[in-house]
Amino acid sequence: MWWKTAVASAALAIAGPAVAQRPADALAGLWMNPHGSVVVRAGDCGSKLCGWIGWANGQAKQDAREEGVDPLIGVALLQDYEPNKDGTWSGTIYVPDMGRRFSSTIALVDRNQLKVKGCLIGGFICRSQLWHRVEHMPDA
């Protein structure tokens, strides 16, 4: 299921300052997906927000490898997110084990939780997950 991997891969954790100077500062840092299979490092990519896989467990690496994504570490999972007026961010999420990109929104629930939503078919079919901030990458 694409949304499991997307959310799993979308595991980012905030390590930004307590008082953000820019809206993206609150989203910057490390996030882990709810399955504990991926950690994503979120940060600036030009004037936008992006997130790259910094850690993945063996199963996530194998699933991605089966779709021709190897290595998984360093892959841009969150791509070109821009802020919306309602406090959410819109961009594209890449699902490595499917080799596909989906429209996506992310929203900070609180300092330690990020809601990641990916959609198919123009937003008619969507799935959401809560990613949790981590302070460091898991041990290998």
Side-chain angles (χ1 to χ4, degrees), residues 6 52-53 80 86 93 109:
W52 302 268
I53 297 175
D80 300 325
D86 65 358
I93 191 163
V109 175

Side-chain angles (χ1 to χ4, degrees), residues 12 20 27-28 61 103 132 140:
L12 305 172
L27 299 171
K61 289 178 183 177
S103 63
H132 301 276

Side-chain angles (χ1 to χ4, degrees):
M1 291 181 223
W2 72 268
W3 61 272
K4 280 186 177 180
T5 302
V7 174
S9 299
L12 305 172
I14 291 179
V19 177
Q21 295 175 343
R22 298 173 304 160
D25 288 347
L27 299 171
L30 301 174
W31 294 96
M32 179 175 279
N33 71 344
H35 304 290
S37 59
V38 177
V39 172
V40 175
R41 181 178 305 279
D44 291 338
C45 56
S47 63
K48 299 179 182 180
L49 178 77
C50 295
W52 302 268
I53 297 175
W55 176 88
N57 69 12
Q59 185 63 53
K61 289 178 183 177
Q62 180 60 36
D63 291 346
R65 191 175 303 117
E66 289 173 4
E67 282 300 317
V69 179
D70 190 30
L72 182 57
I73 305 304
V75 168
L77 185 75
L78 303 176
Q79 302 172 348
D80 300 325
Y81 283 76
E82 296 182 293
N84 299 315
K85 291 179 183 176
D86 65 358
T88 64
W89 290 69
S90 294
T92 303
I93 191 163
Y94 175 62
V95 181
D97 66 346
M98 293 181 70
R100 295 192 54 198
R101 289 168 175 75
F102 300 94
S103 63
S104 172
T105 58
I106 57 176
L108 198 60
V109 175
D110 61 36
R111 188 178 186 321
N112 294 311
Q113 293 185 89
L114 184 69
K115 182 178 180 181
V116 179
K117 181 176 171 182
C119 297
L120 294 169
I121 312 171
F124 289 111
I125 301 173
C126 300
R127 301 285 177 157
S128 298
Q129 290 185 339
L130 282 180
W131 295 356
H132 301 276
R133 179 195 321 211
V134 295
E135 296 300 322
H136 54 81
M137 297 290 179
D139 294 331

